[in-house]
Amino acid sequence: MFSGSNIVLCFLSLSLLSPVAISEKCHPQDKKVLLQIKKEFNNSSMLSSWNPHTGCCGWDWIVCHSTTNRIRWLTFQAPDVPNTRLVGHIPASVGNLPFLERLEFQNLPKFTGSIPSSIAKLKNLMYLTITETNVFGPIPSFLGQLKNLELLELSFNKLTGPIPSSLSQLPKIRSLYLRSNKLAGLILDSFGLFKKPSPDILLSDNRLSGPIPASLGQIDLERLDLSKNRFVGDASVLFGSKKRLQYLDLSRNLFSFDFSKVDFPKSLGMLDLNHNNIYGKIPVALTKVEDLGLFNVSYNLLCGNIPQGGYLHTRFDVFAYYHNKCLCESPLPKCK
Ligand SMILES: *[C@@H]1O[C@H](CO)[C@@H](O)[C@H](O)[C@H]1NC(C)=O
Ligand SMILES: *[C@@H]1O[C@H](CO)[C@@H](O)[C@H](O)[C@H]1NC(C)=O
Ligand SMILES: *[C@@H]1O[C@H](CO)[C@@H](O)[C@H](O)[C@H]1NC(C)=O
């Protein structure tokens, strides 16, 4: 009985003490840097918890390492109150948080400026996310120096210029998301150098152009989204029965190749080719890709009958097939 109440007491004091303990923790060097960042943001109300008289490990937007107290995560996401959003640009001083593994700026429309070179100092960085901001300028090639980077998410910004070839040489990169920017130019042949198996590459809604390099067909991609760009030419290298590809969106480009000759990965679950100049027939082999849940070849130059007997004519409606040169059979009208 006695020891039981002791245990309860012990639990009570632990639960009372531990929040205090965390908020006392802070590495002095990191604290100095964070207070500098707060100053660069003109003491934004989003940083009101960043009180110099308390330990930084208890502050908002921060995660510390449990034993060293070094800052591991600095993740800013817009709070519900819009006028508290951060105004300004990515502070150069983030480069002075050497143990940072995750750095995020999300949904901060009043955030502008370019990506500072000091980020190249963050050798432990694994996840870098800058999305839904007004950050502009080029994607700097110095990001290629972040050898531990696994995810680079720079979607929905105002970034311009080419995709630097240095990104494909990041040895651990798995996820490269650069959607909805104003990126232009070619995908370089060096993209075939991606080392990690089955990376995800999402480049939709940019101004990328030209043919895709053959080397892109040599990476074992899991998801590839090149939609809403200005790519031309042959994309058949992306297909192949031995691949692990699950998601392929090439819609709204100027791709032109013979669809009759394409072999499909068994894993394919989504194939969107709408609005291109793809010609030939729909291969019967496609009826064997049983997990296909989304398929769209509308607005191309395809001809011949839609393979019947499988699920192609039942699972997908007219709008998956309409506006081709001379496609026919269910769900479209019968061939003449
Ligand atoms: C931010 O707050 C600090 C401490 O309260 C103050 O000294 C400094 O002048 C403030 N800076 C701005 C830009 O408001
Ligand atoms: C901070 O305040 C100064 C002086 O008022 C101003 O010039 C600067 O643009 C402000 N910076 C931000 C990020 O709001
Ligand atoms: C296929 O794409 C066309 C053109 O964008 C669109 O109108 C149609 O709704 C899509 N159909 C399906 C089933 O996704």
Side-chain angles (χ1 to χ4, degrees):
M1 243 170 71
F2 201 63
S3 66
S5 62
N6 257 350
I7 289 171
V8 171
L9 253 180
C10 187
F11 267 121
L12 258 178
S13 52
L14 259 183
S15 61
L16 285 174
L17 279 177
S18 55
V20 177
I22 285 175
S23 67
E24 292 289 304
K25 286 179 172 180
C26 193
H27 193 281
Q29 246 167 295
D30 289 349
K31 188 176 200 171
K32 219 169 117 189
V33 175
L34 292 171
L35 290 173
Q36 172 63 35
I37 290 172
K38 182 173 179 177
K39 205 165 142 195
E40 285 183 49
F41 284 131
N42 283 355
N43 298 342
S44 159
S45 59
M46 208 171 145
L47 306 180
S48 56
S49 69
W50 292 21
N51 176 348
H53 305 297
T54 61
C56 60
C57 295
W59 296 356
D60 290 343
W61 322 113
I62 283 166
V63 172
C64 290
H65 191 277
S66 57
T67 53
T68 64
N69 295 336
R70 300 308 300 244
I71 307 289
R72 293 173 63 203
W73 292 17
L74 182 59
T75 55
F76 294 110
Q77 285 168 19
D80 296 333
V81 194
N83 57 7
T84 61
R85 286 174 182 177
L86 285 183
V87 176
H89 52 265
I90 301 170
S93 31
V94 294
N96 299 328
L97 295 169
F99 293 88
L100 218 52
E101 291 165 22
R102 184 185 288 262
L103 178 60
E104 281 181 26
F105 300 95
Q106 284 201 52
N107 192 10
L108 301 165
K110 293 185 176 160
F111 218 59
T112 61
S114 55
I115 300 173
S117 58
S118 60
I119 283 186
K121 293 194 281 183
L122 300 173
K123 299 298 180 207
N124 291 301
L125 204 62
M126 294 158 73
Y127 310 98
L128 175 60
T129 301
I130 303 167
T131 59
E132 296 166 88
T133 74
N134 275 302
V135 166
F136 57 81
I139 297 177
S141 64
F142 59 68
L143 294 181
Q145 296 168 29
L146 301 173
K147 298 297 180 205
N148 282 304
L149 212 57
E150 293 179 21
L151 171 134
L152 179 61
E153 158 80 284
L154 303 175
S155 299
F156 304 100
N157 297 298
K158 298 274 163 13
L159 297 167
T160 50
I163 301 173
S165 65
S166 63
L167 298 188
S168 63
Q169 283 143 52
L170 288 166
K172 295 184 181 170
I173 194 95
R174 292 197 79 111
S175 308
L176 179 63
Y177 304 155
L178 310 175
R179 294 177 293 163
S180 296
N181 280 286
K182 295 173 180 169
L183 301 172
L186 302 168
I187 296 185
L188 300 177
D189 205 39
S190 62
F191 256 60
L193 297 174
F194 272 99
K195 288 192 182 74
K196 209 71 188 165
S198 32
D200 275 356
I201 302 180
L202 310 180
L203 308 176
S204 61
D205 197 13
N206 278 291
R207 295 165 186 178
L208 299 165
S209 60
I212 55 167
S215 59
L216 205 55
Q218 281 151 33
I219 324 171
D220 205 3
L221 294 156
E222 200 166 287
R223 291 199 296 164
L224 179 65
D225 185 355
L226 302 179
S227 65
K228 298 188 196 156
N229 278 289
R230 297 165 189 175
F231 290 114
V232 302
D234 191 356
S236 61
V237 289
L238 300 174
F239 296 85
S241 56
K242 298 216 167 65
K243 298 204 162 154
R244 277 187 278 190
L245 196 63
Q246 290 173 15
Y247 180 106
L248 182 61
D249 192 347
L250 304 179
S251 64
R252 293 178 189 268
N253 279 287
L254 299 161
F255 284 118
S256 175
F257 57 94
D258 187 351
F259 199 45
S260 329
K261 294 183 177 154
V262 164
D263 249 346
F264 301 95
K266 294 242 179 331
S267 50
L268 203 59
M270 136 85 197
L271 179 60
D272 197 345
L273 304 175
N274 85 73
H275 285 91
N276 278 288
N277 297 321
I278 300 165
Y279 54 89
K281 297 173 70 165
I282 297 179
V284 178
L286 196 56
T287 61
K288 304 220 165 64
V289 184
E290 284 173 3
D291 290 337
L292 199 62
L294 201 155
F295 175 65
N296 199 334
V297 289
S298 64
Y299 292 89
N300 276 290
L301 304 171
L302 295 168
C303 245
N305 61 306
I306 295 165
Q308 307 289 302
Y311 58 81
L312 277 183
H313 64 297
T314 54
R315 202 177 282 177
F316 311 110
D317 64 9
V318 173
F319 303 104
Y321 298 100
Y322 73 156
H323 283 276
N324 270 283
K325 197 169 157 203
C326 43
L327 266 188
C328 51
E329 288 301 332
S330 173
L332 295 178
K334 284 211 149 309
C335 299
K336 295 200 175 96

